[in-house]
Amino acid sequence: MANIARTGDIIHLNVGGKRFSTSRQTLTWVPDSFFSSLLSGRISTLKDETGAIFIDRDPSLFTPILNFLRTKELFPRSINVHLLMHEAEFYGITPLVRKLQLCDELDRSSCGNVLFNGYLPPPGRFDFTSRTVKVWKGNGLVAYYSGLADPGMVRIICGHHNWIAVAYAQFVVCYRVKESTGWQQVFTSPRLDWVIDRVALNAKVMGGSLGDNDKMVAVASGTEIILWTICPDGNGNEIGVFSLNVPVEALFFVGNQLIATSHTGKVGVWNAVTKHWQNQDVVPINSYDTAGSFLILGCNNGSIYYIDVQKFPLRMKDNDLLVTELYRDPTEDAITALSVYLTPKTSDSGNWIEIAYGTSSGTVRVIVQHPETVGSGPQLFQTFSVHRSPVTKIMLSEKHLISVCADNNHVRTWTVTRFRGMISTQPGSTPLTSFKILSLEDIDGHGGCAAGTEIGPYGERDDQQVFIQRVVPDTDKLYVRLSSNGKRVCEVRSVDGTSITSFMVHECEGSSRIGSRPRRYLFGGHANGSIQIDEELLELLDQCDLALTRTPDMSPAASFTHSSTPRASTSRYTSHHCQLPM
């Protein structure tokens, strides 16, 4: 055994009677595989008369497995995916298993189309090559670059009301849509000296101290945050630059208050009334959600805390936001995902407060607080023990409870019903459906931004929600899947043929006409800096079978003021079976 374990040795294998020769390095680059255990001596070996290691498996299926170990590439058209996946699972070659799962899924799923609505060309470019930029690392250190590989690509898109904010490497651009003029660029920030990691937008300020028409946009990189107010004429004024003192991992608004959080346990709050920035120490934070003026925090010690950010300036005492414990998990597992749902108020009572949360052990729990028992705190309603990995996302809506775990984005969905305000789940603890949002994402380096490629679920909580699947990092297509059953209902491709680097589903308010309704869009940011807008995802899904429908008109909507025309043809949108380029 010592002879075959040395680095650089040629390894001779006899697989089902057929001989193969390869190197130890080829066989063992996948950690914790069958071969790494075999060559380390953890698995006993059987040798043939020539001294080759005998493996009693199908030699015809071993050939593509060995080729994958040699090249890290797969050519699925000439193989039986199901048989090869069984062998890959036996050998413990996890990267190959994931690729085969995607091949199988995409081969079986038929995709349709959505309506292309409009195209916003890249804004005016800056010269990035002559400037040094700061890139914050996870440990807080700063690396300096003389230029970025893709400074003009769209990193993050976020939306609020009828506005969107688009973050590039060193500046942010805000657009708004009006019924009469369509989408218009209204604000472009100065070029920054560091790369943007997070963006927050507040575009519907009601009665704030900055004025009813003022909007706010904030960006963060590492520990630093910069906040602007945007005036009706499109000019922006810098409100201030603030520091959380630790890397910012979430940036958002609660009403007029800007909130920044970090998993280390820091919460930063900028209040629009006092114009004051304040940092608050909490225990390590894993998740958060908002409900009205409340910020709800899921923490590493198994507790759920809340802060009333609207009232905290009046309640400040010795620099304390009065962080209050709302609930503690019975097993004190870390709260890794959190979702709050407020039921509509009735004439005889207030809101029921429902909170669904997931833990580091994979448990999903639902807790409920009746409006008449506010002082006693929420009570445990139901526990679901179906995940085996930490829960990474959870969403409680009017119709569904959706949870996602770290095992290849494994999704479970339950049906939710309510009677006289009381939540119930049907059929009990059995999920309505179970599926995976598989992907081969790679966000190392600066080619992508995790904040701009979240899978979801997206959509209003009183409507059907969707997941967005981007199979590989460098792709010009996205898949839209219903969160209720996992069905892939449509494929969205970039009309200019460039890679999709970020995406977001956002609902804009309808026009002032009677009977108008909000319109839902899928915004896709491209590697060349452009924004593609596809309209009415779920309306189209309800009206027809997209796998069989004809291709809709691809011309940009007339309401878009930009004159640039994308290089596109309707043939890129014809219905077809999806194929994964491996």
Side-chain angles (χ1 to χ4, degrees):
M1 179 56 62
N3 289 333
I4 65 171
R6 291 199 306 268
T7 302
D9 279 354
I10 301 300
I11 307 300
H12 301 287
L13 303 174
N14 180 342
V15 181
K18 184 176 180 180
R19 292 178 59 86
F20 297 87
S21 297
T22 186
S23 68
R24 182 181 185 278
Q25 183 179 8
T26 295
L27 289 177
T28 59
W29 69 265
V30 177
D32 300 324
S33 69
F34 170 85
F35 299 109
S36 61
S37 298
L38 182 74
L39 298 182
S40 66
R42 294 194 298 271
I43 298 178
S44 60
T45 60
L46 179 64
K47 297 183 180 180
D48 65 10
E49 65 279 1
T50 65
I53 301 174
F54 180 74
I55 303 175
D56 193 13
R57 306 295 292 187
D58 189 335
S60 63
L61 294 173
F62 184 74
T63 298
I65 285 177
L66 183 57
N67 285 336
F68 176 79
L69 292 174
R70 287 168 171 163
T71 65
K72 299 181 176 61
E73 295 181 357
L74 176 66
F75 303 95
R77 297 178 185 274
S78 60
I79 60 175
N80 185 308
V81 171
H82 291 91
L83 291 178
L84 187 59
M85 189 185 308
H86 181 71
E87 292 298 291
E89 290 173 345
F90 170 81
Y91 291 116
I93 306 175
T94 305
L96 179 57
V97 171
R98 294 187 65 192
K99 289 194 175 187
L100 289 169
Q101 287 175 330
L102 281 169
C103 289
D104 179 52
E105 181 183 336
L106 296 179
D107 183 62
R108 290 184 287 106
S109 300
S110 180
C111 296
N113 306 291
V114 294
L115 180 62
F116 171 70
N117 184 280
Y119 182 91
L120 304 179
R125 293 296 188 94
F126 292 94
D127 179 15
F128 291 89
T129 58
S130 61
R131 293 288 296 269
T132 299
V133 297
K134 303 175 184 177
V135 179
W136 295 86
K137 303 296 185 180
N139 58 5
L141 299 177
V142 181
Y144 293 89
Y145 291 83
S146 59
L148 294 175
D150 295 302
M153 80 173 191
V154 178
R155 294 175 60 84
I156 308 171
I157 307 173
C158 71
H160 187 240
H161 188 40
N162 288 342
W163 289 54
I164 62 171
V166 181
Y168 298 85
Q170 292 178 271
F171 63 99
V172 63
V173 180
C174 292
Y175 298 86
R176 68 180 170 194
V177 64
K178 289 187 175 181
E179 183 180 357
S180 58
T181 57
W183 289 95
Q184 292 182 327
Q185 181 177 331
V186 293
F187 171 72
T188 301
S189 74
R191 184 176 62 183
L192 307 177
D193 291 331
W194 30 258
V195 174
I196 296 172
D197 294 327
R198 300 287 185 271
V199 181
L201 177 67
N202 186 31
K204 192 176 183 180
V205 181
M206 301 300 292
S209 61
L210 299 176
D212 292 344
N213 295 321
D214 284 355
K215 320 299 179 184
M216 288 181 285
V217 63
V219 299
S221 179
T223 66
E224 305 301 312
I225 303 158
I226 184 168
L227 175 64
W228 295 276
T229 177
I230 306 172
C231 302
D233 59 4
N235 293 323
N237 298 317
E238 182 180 305
I239 295 177
V241 179
F242 316 108
S243 178
L244 192 62
N245 299 323
V246 292
V248 176
E249 294 174 356
L251 188 69
F252 52 95
F253 283 93
V254 176
N256 293 351
Q257 281 63 242
L258 175 66
I259 312 294
T261 67
S262 170
H263 78 276
T264 61
K266 286 278 190 182
V267 177
V269 180
W270 179 83
N271 185 268
V273 176
T274 64
K275 309 293 193 300
H276 177 66
W277 172 262
Q278 179 177 336
N279 287 338
Q280 174 68 35
D281 288 316
V282 192
V283 297
I285 300 167
N286 295 310
S287 55
Y288 76 93
D289 197 8
T290 62
S293 63
F294 288 94
L295 170 63
I296 316 295
L297 302 173
C299 297
N300 202 45
N301 64 352
S303 291
I304 298 175
Y305 296 92
Y306 72 90
I307 303 172
D308 190 340
V309 297
Q310 186 176 28
K311 295 181 179 179
F312 90 85
L314 306 177
R315 300 173 61 194
M316 274 196 304
K317 182 179 180 181
D318 299 328
N319 197 34
D320 186 2
L321 298 186
L322 299 184
V323 179
T324 305
E325 185 177 71
L326 181 68
Y327 184 80
R328 182 177 288 266
D329 181 72
T331 59
E332 298 188 357
D333 287 338
I335 310 298
T336 54
L338 190 65
S339 178
V340 182
Y341 182 81
L342 298 179
T343 62
K345 288 185 177 180
T346 62
S347 58
D348 56 347
S349 65
N351 297 96
W352 286 77
I353 301 175
E354 303 168 357
I355 300 177
Y357 70 89
T359 70
S360 56
S361 64
T363 301
V364 173
R365 302 189 198 275
V366 178
I367 58 177
V368 179
Q369 180 169 287
H370 189 276
E372 297 176 356
T373 59
V374 174
S376 60
Q379 302 298 311
L380 179 62
F381 169 71
Q382 194 161 7
T383 299
F384 304 90
S385 300
V386 293
H387 293 292
R388 293 178 294 177
S389 302
V391 178
T392 57
K393 297 177 183 294
I394 200 159
M395 177 62 69
L396 181 58
S397 66
E398 181 179 348
K399 301 176 182 179
H400 298 104
L401 169 63
I402 305 162
S403 61
V404 186
C405 77
D407 177 20
N408 290 324
N409 289 328
H410 199 151
V411 180
R412 266 84 169 193
T413 300
W414 291 268
T415 300
V416 170
T417 58
R418 293 176 178 86
F419 179 71
R420 294 182 179 177
M422 174 64 74
I423 184 175
S424 63
T425 54
Q426 298 293 336
S429 60
T430 303
L432 172 68
T433 187
S434 175
F435 57 95
K436 293 184 178 181
I437 309 293
L438 295 167
S439 67
L440 302 175
E441 288 284 4
D442 180 12
I443 55 175
D444 295 334
H446 310 293
C449 185
T453 54
E454 293 284 351
I455 62 171
Y458 292 98
E460 300 301 311
R461 297 196 183 189
D462 59 353
D463 203 349
Q464 175 72 275
Q465 295 179 313
V466 295
F467 286 101
I468 306 298
Q469 183 179 27
R470 188 175 73 161
V471 176
V472 293
D474 187 14
T475 181
D476 66 347
K477 69 179 71 173
L478 301 172
Y479 301 111
V480 181
R481 303 181 62 166
L482 295 181
S483 61
S484 59
N485 56 21
K487 180 182 178 182
R488 184 182 292 112
V489 289
C490 61
E491 168 190 311
V492 177
R493 291 197 180 191
S494 62
V495 294
D496 55 15
T498 59
S499 297
I500 300 173
T501 56
S502 63
F503 48 82
M504 175 200 64
V505 176
H506 179 57
E507 188 172 276
C508 296
E509 292 188 0
S511 70
S512 58
R513 294 193 299 268
I514 297 177
S516 65
R517 55 178 177 77
R519 306 174 74 175
R520 184 176 297 184
Y521 300 94
L522 170 62
F523 295 88
H526 296 177
N528 65 354
S530 63
I531 305 293
Q532 180 173 322
I533 307 170
D534 299 278
E535 184 184 0
E536 301 298 340
L537 290 172
L538 297 182
E539 280 298 311
L540 289 176
L541 304 183
D542 292 338
Q543 293 172 5
C544 58
D545 180 357
L546 291 181
L548 302 177
T549 189
R550 297 182 62 185
T551 302
D553 183 11
M554 292 299 111
S555 60
S559 63
F560 283 73
T561 57
H562 299 282
S563 59
S564 299
T565 303
R567 293 177 287 104
S569 65
T570 56
S571 63
R572 292 184 60 80
Y573 281 83
T574 39
S575 302
H576 63 283
H577 285 275
C578 308
Q579 295 178 345
L580 173 65
M582 287 297 177

